[in-house]
Amino acid sequence: MSTLNPGGPTKPRAPRLQRLGRIVLGGAVVGVSYLGWRMYRNRYPVEQLPYDPTKKTLVLLGTGWGSTTVLKNLDTTQFNVVVVSPRNYFLFTPLLPSCTVGTIENRSIMEPVRQLMRHKAREVTFYEAECTGIDPETKQLTLKRHTNADVLQSIRERETTAPEDIVKLDYDYLIVGVGGEVNSFNIPGVEEHACFLKEMPDARKIRRKLMDSIERASFSDISEEERDRLLHMVVVGGGPTGIEYAGELHDFLTDDLSQWYPNLSQRVRITLVEALPSVLQAFDKKLIDYTQSTFSENKISILTRTMVKAVQEKEIVVQNADGSRSEVPYGVLVWATGIKTQPLVDRIRERFPLDQSDRRGLLVDEFLRVKGSRDIWALGDCALSGYAPLAQVASQQGKWLARTLNKAARKADEAPGADLFTLVEKSARSFKYSSQGSLAYIGSDKAIADLPLFNRNITAGGLTTFWFWKSAYLNELFSLRNSTLVASDWVKRFLFGRDISRE
């Protein structure tokens, strides 16, 4: 006896796996198309509006985190924008320690400023120069043409400048984001013998010094004492930069030098010197303990409560926790401590003596306006806004200031003659920093994270955090180009190891 189907024959439904496959394929097509469009647009940007003499001139000093973020988010149809900096690129500083040992290629974390400028609605002018003076009365800047290929020499040596290298630049509004310089704390010998870790030339110098020390240690006619000195790498500073460099250096020695210098790799020592009671003071206590435990496993010595008193050509003089002094020989010395103000910041302070009384930087109000001025903003490491000198702070300040200036400029268009400096207060709430957490790589494919979540902090460390650290930095890079280059560098290192050539 057959059973009748009153509804008639039913159509077979497509299997769920087949539907899922179509969804995945469609998503892949959309994703590839979007990436293709972004790459095309990056290569062939649209036409820009020309200079408009009816618009005000806004000058951005610096190409660091703060200034570059302003440039990226600023509506250039409202201003004639001029960027002044002794370097024509933005540097993604969190990955700079990776460049010192060849984990990442140098240019992978350098974003050309002109590439950012070319994608703005209105043409942006760039001058590769150093601002050496300011006259707030006439609204005029004094620029020194940047003629030396090494940025560090231009900034630090302050050589005599020929008259033809001096340029005057008028402005209506000024944003100061020149950052800071490495602080040597006036310790004798630091400037002459230590390697800093703040700019790309610093990373190149460390790489050369590191390979020079290792190659010299391979000669058979030197004493064992001299060999041990050459193979002793000292890092001063227990903040994230010093910790990450020590971790990267350990990986380089373990993964690469052990293969190509088997007779030397076991003799290489790494010592980290910190004046405070512990490293990574801004992190949770559990993460500090985890880092110190990892360093101990990796045979990285940590000397806390140890102050450097002098730096000599082949050794540093330190004051130990018990007050005694000792000499620590080294082959490479990396100085990764705090920062101090740029000379330009001091010159700006001198122009407003009644309102600028702090030698650590430019005092700003809650709207990032330089106190005492009527047309100058400051952000990043050179501004005293009540927050720590972090890249994260400068980036948030840049986004906030760009959005606020965009709104204020539109209000100024609606009310001709209105003061933009005053309209800033009416355009947005005052700047408030929101911490997104802290990350640090500690070597051996391990990282630590201290992240805020629902009014509490989440702490983590280990291999999983290491992959989170990688993904977070890939997401933070300024362009698809840089993200692609950094990811490919990581793949190349995994497949072929690091390049051990000197340059």
Side-chain angles (χ1 to χ4, degrees):
M1 182 176 177
S2 61
T3 303
L4 299 178
N5 182 2
T10 58
K11 296 181 180 180
R13 296 181 178 179
R16 292 182 179 180
L17 188 60
Q18 186 178 0
R19 290 202 300 265
L20 179 61
R22 290 174 179 172
I23 294 173
V24 172
L25 179 61
V29 170
V30 172
V32 170
S33 301
Y34 174 69
L35 288 176
W37 175 82
R38 283 191 61 183
M39 288 187 288
Y40 176 83
R41 183 56 64 207
N42 182 70
R43 183 75 172 172
Y44 303 103
V46 298
E47 292 296 321
Q48 293 178 293
L49 297 172
Y51 171 85
D52 186 349
T54 65
K55 300 292 184 181
K56 300 289 187 179
T57 297
L58 173 65
V59 176
L60 282 166
L61 295 182
T63 50
W65 281 91
S67 297
T68 307
T69 306
V70 170
L71 176 63
K72 188 176 182 180
N73 294 276
L74 189 67
D75 181 5
T76 54
T77 62
Q78 300 290 340
F79 307 94
N80 293 308
V81 181
V82 180
V83 180
V84 178
S85 176
R87 68 180 191 194
N88 66 349
Y89 59 88
F90 164 77
L91 182 66
F92 190 79
T93 50
L95 289 177
L96 190 59
S98 298
C99 295
T100 62
V101 295
T103 305
I104 293 176
E105 296 298 327
N106 296 347
R107 293 196 174 276
S108 297
I109 62 170
M110 299 163 67
E111 177 72 17
V113 175
R114 290 186 180 275
Q115 193 160 344
L116 289 173
M117 292 163 44
R118 184 61 183 84
H119 289 82
K120 302 304 295 183
R122 187 184 302 283
E123 292 179 355
V124 178
T125 302
F126 175 76
Y127 293 124
E128 191 176 52
E130 179 188 353
C131 182
T132 58
I134 177 176
D135 188 342
E137 297 296 327
T138 61
K139 293 189 177 184
Q140 191 174 70
L141 303 174
T142 302
L143 309 183
K144 172 188 172 183
R145 297 181 197 270
H146 182 54
T147 57
N148 193 304
D150 189 345
V151 176
L152 298 182
Q153 184 176 2
S154 172
I155 294 177
R156 293 174 182 156
E157 293 191 1
R158 314 289 172 184
E159 295 178 351
T160 303
T161 306
E164 60 269 19
D165 288 334
I166 297 298
V167 180
K168 299 294 184 179
L169 175 65
D170 295 325
Y171 70 89
D172 293 300
Y173 304 110
L174 178 66
I175 298 176
V176 183
V178 295
E181 293 182 338
V182 177
N183 196 345
S184 65
F185 300 100
N186 297 318
I187 297 174
V190 173
E191 298 279 351
E192 294 81 5
H193 304 300
C195 297
F196 299 134
L197 189 50
K198 196 171 191 306
E199 300 284 350
M200 186 53 72
D202 293 330
R204 298 191 189 105
K205 180 180 178 181
I206 291 172
R207 184 178 180 85
R208 289 194 298 267
K209 294 268 289 185
L210 177 62
M211 296 313 303
D212 279 349
S213 292
I214 294 171
E215 292 293 353
R216 288 172 61 191
S218 66
F219 279 85
S220 59
D221 61 341
I222 64 173
S223 66
E224 295 303 308
E225 182 182 10
E226 175 67 4
R227 199 185 319 276
D228 287 336
R229 180 190 71 81
L230 290 169
L231 296 177
H232 188 200
M233 314 305 172
V234 176
V235 183
V236 178
T241 301
I243 291 293
E244 291 193 334
Y245 173 70
E248 290 281 359
L249 182 57
H250 166 266
D251 291 352
F252 180 50
L253 301 177
T254 303
D255 300 340
D256 301 277
L257 290 188
S258 59
Q259 298 182 32
W260 313 120
Y261 300 85
N263 297 329
L264 298 179
S265 61
Q266 297 300 318
R267 300 184 62 168
V268 176
R269 295 183 299 129
I270 305 173
T271 299
L272 188 141
V273 179
E274 170 57 50
L276 296 175
S278 68
V279 298
L280 297 174
Q281 289 282 312
F283 283 74
D284 186 89
K285 179 65 165 56
K286 290 184 294 185
L287 297 180
I288 295 174
D289 293 340
Y290 180 75
T291 300
Q292 293 176 335
S293 174
T294 301
F295 272 29
S296 178
E297 293 174 5
N298 294 339
K299 298 180 181 180
I300 300 176
S301 301
I302 300 178
L303 303 179
T304 56
R305 301 181 187 273
T306 303
M307 300 179 63
V308 177
K309 292 299 183 180
V311 176
Q312 301 171 5
E313 184 179 2
K314 297 182 179 181
E315 58 191 15
I316 61 174
V317 179
V318 300
Q319 179 175 303
N320 303 304
D322 59 3
S324 63
R325 292 201 178 196
S326 58
E327 296 176 346
V328 180
Y330 68 88
V332 177
L333 174 64
V334 174
W335 194 268
T337 59
I339 60 171
K340 63 180 181 180
T341 59
Q342 295 270 16
L344 175 65
V345 174
D346 294 329
R347 296 189 182 107
I348 296 176
R349 286 179 47 255
E350 293 170 358
R351 293 289 183 171
F352 308 102
L354 298 180
D355 299 278
Q356 297 293 327
S357 56
D358 198 318
R359 299 180 60 85
R360 297 175 300 160
L362 294 173
L363 289 167
V364 298
D365 63 14
E366 64 272 26
F367 297 97
L368 303 182
R369 299 174 298 189
V370 174
K371 293 183 178 181
S373 72
R374 292 294 303 167
D375 43 38
I376 304 175
W377 289 265
L379 72 172
D381 293 352
C382 66
L384 297 178
S385 57
Y387 301 108
L390 302 172
Q392 192 178 137
V393 174
S395 180
Q396 289 188 27
Q397 288 176 334
K399 291 178 183 178
W400 179 91
L401 184 56
R403 291 195 303 265
T404 302
L405 288 176
N406 294 340
K407 293 178 183 178
R410 288 192 290 269
K411 287 187 176 182
D413 288 342
E414 298 171 359
D419 179 22
L420 183 70
F421 208 65
T422 303
L423 285 176
V424 164
E425 293 185 40
K426 302 178 181 179
S427 302
R429 295 180 179 178
S430 59
F431 172 76
K432 299 293 183 183
Y433 168 63
S434 174
S435 175
Q436 303 302 307
S438 302
L439 295 168
Y441 179 64
I442 60 176
S444 298
D445 290 346
K446 296 178 182 178
I448 57 174
D450 193 346
L451 307 174
L453 184 65
F454 301 119
N455 296 322
R456 58 190 292 263
N457 275 27
I458 302 297
T459 59
L463 179 61
T464 303
T465 310
F466 167 65
W467 286 104
F468 175 76
W469 173 83
K470 280 193 168 186
S471 62
Y473 280 179
L474 283 178
N475 183 64
E476 287 295 320
L477 285 159
F478 258 49
S479 68
L480 175 63
R481 166 186 170 274
N482 285 128
S483 298
T484 303
L485 290 175
V486 169
S488 64
D489 287 342
W490 281 333
V491 172
K492 285 191 299 182
R493 186 214 61 81
F494 177 78
L495 294 176
F496 306 109
R498 298 172 181 83
D499 186 358
I500 61 170
S501 58
R502 181 177 180 275
E503 300 297 333

